[in-house]
Amino acid sequence: MAGQSRILNWMKFIALIIVMILFVFPFVLLIVNSFKANQAITSDPLGLPSSFQFDNYVNAFDKMGYVSAFSNSLLITIAGVLLIALFAAMTAHYFVRHKSKLNQYLFFLMVAAMIIPFQAIMIPLVKIYGSLSLLDNKWSLIYMYIGFGSPLAVFIYHGFIKSIPLELEEVALMDGCGRVQTFFRIVLPVLLPTTVTISVLNVLWIWNDFLLPSLVLTSSEQRTLPLSTFYFYGTYTVDYGPLMAGLVLTLLPVLIVYLFAQKYIIQGVMQGAIK
Amino acid sequence: MLTEKGLWTRLRTRLIFTGPTLFAFATVMIIPFLYGIYLTFTNWDGIAIDQNFVGWDNYIGVFKDTVFWKSFGMTLEYVFITVVLTNAVAFLLAYAVTRGMKAQGWFRAGFFLPNLVGGIVLGFIWQFIFNQVLVFAGQKMNLTLFSTSWLADPDKAFWALVVVTVWQYAGYMMVIYIAGLMNVPKDVMEAASIDGASNRKMLARIVLPLMVPSFIVCIFLSLQRGFMVYDLNVSLTSGGPFKSTEMVSMHVYEQAFLARDYGLGQAEAFVLFILVAAITLLQVYFSKKLEVEA
């Protein structure tokens, strides 16, 4: 019996490894091919590179406008994530601690709005912000992320703040802290685990988002990384080498962050779904 | 309950705490949403300053747009297949990596990997795999299934989208199922195993019923993502060959921004919203009825 179940366990383990290879192989293939010359890619896409073509990377780095796309993405993601978390935490805190009819309606409206798909809003959004000349501006995009991202963030914070005892805040208020001071000194630090969850979800969304930036950012120097990848691929379809290198360059920042923050990322997704 | 004295102080606190969020939420979601409903009754072409009120014409147009309904039907099919497959694969993976096996963390990290990357990049990677790698392997090993590119054949291109979608989202849903599995109370499981329940019986009678909340969340998420699929559609097949894989979200985009018929495009987007909202709310309503207490 014992021997049999050990064999069974090994078989399960090997099955898992095969599935794992299916999940990771596309990325490995991409990385391997990014070092090959175009001809070697098309004649044998499964082979290892015979000589390393770093030219592909130089080429892609240049043509994609990598530095500008990367810094645009970084600014938009960091500003978007921080502002969503800060504003949503304050709003959720206010909603929980001031239980009026108005606040209940406002909270309900935000939660209900979560089922509106972006596609139902994108056309009027472009029309309104276009007529106000607010398109093609990174800060407009960040502002829009705050609008689209706050319902979920308020919802998650709301669930968490309900479980925090009120006494903590009351003591601070009695000691002469103002509302705002109490929030920043007492409440915000307690919210840290929830803030991590919300930040993970928002980073994954904003960093990789394509449709909204493609509608808002029209000039090439404003482009984010997914946008510049898209245009680079669209105008470069014959030469696979630089294309592969370009895709790797887009992946690289994410892979590096994942390597270090893997635990937080998976935990963040987990926490975000339970609430 | 925290209350302050004085109308002005109360108002100021309210503005500081809820002002920025509510202002952004209203101006980015609510006003465009309402204005969008108004736009469905107009014939704006994207250039003219004014638009004319055309009554129900756009909605009649939606019903006459056979391409819209064709792509809506295909999207339904795509959503149904991907929701079933994604959740089945995700649950099996979650079940496999919560059994105390060696290197569980590595497996989890690997299965989750595709979710770190946007649909655009994933679509391009798989375009390369379908067009080059699989064709190469198919010709080498005489596999007719792969000897021509899936993306050149309307039916197979649809399945290519399904494959990539399941590959992408299974890891995300797996993480949610793992959380659900870990919340199944240990003492209930122990009691059942002392009573002599087999693994299979425990799964069917205890684990699955207690996992209903996770299933609700995952099916809800995969439904929403399936209906709204856009990035992957654009980068993997760009709706081709011959518009055969143009999902409804892409159709709406093309109708509005490329065909410059914003009124009709918005009306289609709005019809899509009503249908999707109805489907997801029904799903949540019926699956809530299945929930049991631990």
Side-chain angles (χ1 to χ4, degrees):
Chain A
M1 273 304 274
Q4 213 175 14
S5 78
R6 188 187 280 170
I7 292 172
L8 203 68
N9 273 338
W10 268 106
M11 277 166 64
K12 281 182 191 162
F13 190 70
I14 289 167
L16 262 186
I17 290 191
I18 293 171
V19 181
M20 173 88 154
I21 291 172
L22 285 177
F23 273 81
V24 178
F25 198 55
F27 298 105
V28 177
L29 258 181
L30 175 74
I31 294 169
V32 168
N33 278 292
S34 70
F35 291 108
K36 289 161 41 173
N38 190 40
Q39 205 248 328
I41 295 173
T42 43
S43 66
D44 182 10
L46 286 167
L48 287 170
S50 50
S51 64
F52 281 88
Q53 298 280 322
F54 289 104
D55 288 5
N56 290 340
Y57 280 90
V58 178
N59 222 329
F61 195 84
D62 226 39
K63 293 259 165 54
M64 275 175 78
Y66 189 78
V67 178
S68 125
F70 179 83
S71 37
N72 287 339
S73 272
L74 197 66
L75 169 75
I76 291 166
T77 306
I78 289 177
V81 168
L82 289 181
L83 292 174
I84 289 173
L86 174 67
F87 292 149
M90 292 181 87
T91 306
H93 178 253
Y94 190 85
F95 281 173
V96 174
R97 297 298 183 222
H98 297 77
K99 284 195 186 70
S100 63
K101 266 269 162 342
L102 173 66
N103 286 343
Q104 278 170 9
Y105 287 135
L106 288 172
F107 180 61
F108 176 76
L109 182 68
M110 291 192 98
V111 175
M114 280 197 272
I115 62 164
I116 303 175
F118 176 68
Q119 277 79 354
I121 293 178
M122 65 182 182
I123 295 165
L125 191 75
V126 169
K127 182 159 196 252
I128 293 171
Y129 287 82
S131 66
L132 297 170
S133 306
L134 287 170
L135 293 183
D136 202 23
N137 180 325
K138 283 188 276 269
W139 290 99
S140 305
L141 183 62
I142 292 166
Y143 176 72
M144 288 175 193
Y145 279 128
I146 297 172
F148 285 118
S150 55
L152 180 68
V154 167
F155 179 66
I156 297 178
Y157 274 126
H158 194 276
F160 186 74
I161 294 171
K162 271 192 296 191
S163 67
I164 304 176
L166 186 60
E167 285 77 16
L168 227 63
E169 291 165 52
E170 281 172 338
V171 170
L173 280 172
M174 258 184 273
D175 282 351
C177 274
R179 299 277 149 164
V180 179
Q181 225 179 352
T182 309
F183 176 80
F184 279 98
R185 292 223 181 140
I186 311 289
V187 183
L188 204 56
V190 182
L191 292 180
L192 188 66
T194 313
T195 304
V196 172
T197 298
I198 289 167
S199 304
V200 166
L201 295 177
N202 286 331
V203 168
L204 288 178
W205 162 48
I206 297 176
W207 181 265
N208 291 316
D209 192 26
F210 173 74
L211 187 50
L212 180 59
S214 79
L215 293 169
V216 175
L217 305 175
T218 42
S219 64
S220 60
E221 61 273 20
Q222 299 281 330
R223 276 177 198 159
T224 59
L225 216 41
L227 275 180
S228 79
T229 312
F230 179 75
Y231 286 108
F232 178 62
Y233 211 95
T235 51
Y236 228 76
T237 29
V238 237
D239 207 354
Y240 269 112
L243 282 182
M244 300 285 114
L247 292 178
V248 174
L249 284 175
T250 314
L251 279 175
L252 211 58
V254 179
L255 289 182
I256 293 170
V257 171
Y258 192 46
L259 211 58
F260 292 104
Q262 193 209 96
K263 202 181 91 194
Y264 296 102
I265 291 171
I266 290 189
Q267 231 160 38
V269 171
M270 233 181 232
Q271 297 295 330
I274 296 173
K275 276 156 190 155
Chain B
M1 220 33 192
L2 302 171
T3 38
E4 287 173 302
K5 289 192 194 87
L7 185 67
W8 167 239
T9 347
R10 283 217 301 269
L11 192 67
R12 201 185 58 186
T13 315
R14 174 180 283 279
L15 271 180
I16 292 171
F17 276 85
T18 68
T21 310
L22 289 178
F23 190 76
F25 171 67
T27 51
V28 172
M29 285 195 86
I30 300 301
I31 293 172
F33 182 71
L34 297 176
Y35 185 62
I37 298 176
Y38 165 75
L39 274 185
T40 62
F41 297 104
T42 68
N43 66 350
W44 188 48
D45 62 1
I47 304 163
I49 300 161
D50 295 315
Q51 61 259 355
N52 299 314
F53 194 75
V54 294
W56 294 95
D57 278 9
N58 286 323
Y59 287 96
I60 296 166
V62 175
F63 284 96
K64 282 187 185 156
D65 184 354
T66 47
V67 183
F68 172 76
W69 292 104
K70 202 184 134 237
S71 78
F72 186 76
M74 186 176 43
T75 310
L76 273 182
E77 199 181 330
Y78 164 84
V79 168
F80 181 77
I81 297 169
T82 53
V83 166
V84 171
L85 288 179
T86 307
N87 286 286
V89 173
F91 184 80
L92 284 175
L93 292 179
Y95 195 67
V97 298
T98 45
R99 318 235 74 203
M101 200 184 279
K102 254 183 246 164
Q104 274 185 171
W106 284 98
F107 284 121
R108 288 181 195 183
F111 297 144
F112 188 79
L113 190 62
N115 292 288
L116 299 166
V117 187
I120 285 288
V121 175
L122 294 180
F124 286 139
I125 297 177
W126 277 90
Q127 198 189 75
F128 170 69
I129 293 177
F130 280 117
N131 283 339
Q132 300 286 327
V133 181
L134 287 179
V135 173
F136 171 79
Q139 284 170 351
K140 266 266 156 94
M141 296 188 279
N142 267 325
L143 294 167
T144 38
L145 181 62
F146 296 119
S147 57
T148 53
S149 171
W150 278 28
L151 300 180
D153 176 307
D155 289 326
K156 285 183 188 159
F158 174 84
W159 285 99
L161 273 172
V162 171
V163 167
V164 181
T165 306
V166 174
W167 171 82
Q168 179 182 4
Y169 289 138
Y172 197 93
M173 304 307 160
M174 172 198 72
V175 168
I176 300 172
Y177 284 127
I178 291 174
L181 279 169
M182 294 198 305
N183 281 338
V184 174
K186 288 271 184 307
D187 48 334
V188 180
M189 298 286 282
E190 266 164 34
S193 98
I194 290 168
D195 288 346
S198 66
N199 262 345
R200 195 171 301 167
K201 220 168 203 172
M202 284 209 285
L203 187 65
R205 298 272 172 83
I206 300 170
V207 179
L208 285 180
L210 285 176
M211 292 276 292
V212 170
S214 308
F215 279 105
I216 298 176
V217 171
C218 286
I219 294 174
F220 176 80
L221 283 177
S222 43
L223 267 176
Q224 287 251 321
R225 289 175 176 198
F227 273 113
M228 296 309 139
V229 62
Y230 178 79
D231 300 12
L232 186 68
N233 200 185
V234 166
S235 64
L236 184 65
T237 67
S238 32
F242 323 114
K243 294 217 165 218
S244 59
T245 59
E246 192 178 87
M247 295 289 166
V248 68
S249 176
M250 191 170 165
H251 180 77
V252 168
Y253 180 93
E254 307 250 305
Q255 193 65 262
F257 296 108
L258 299 179
R260 293 206 168 276
D261 197 337
Y262 289 79
L264 181 59
Q266 182 58 24
E268 291 181 346
F270 194 64
V271 169
L272 176 67
F273 156 66
I274 301 277
L275 294 171
V276 175
I279 292 172
T280 44
L281 289 178
L282 279 177
Q283 179 256 329
V284 172
Y285 174 75
F286 280 110
S287 27
K288 279 268 179 206
K289 287 194 155 180
L290 285 172
E291 246 175 278
V292 290
E293 290 290 318

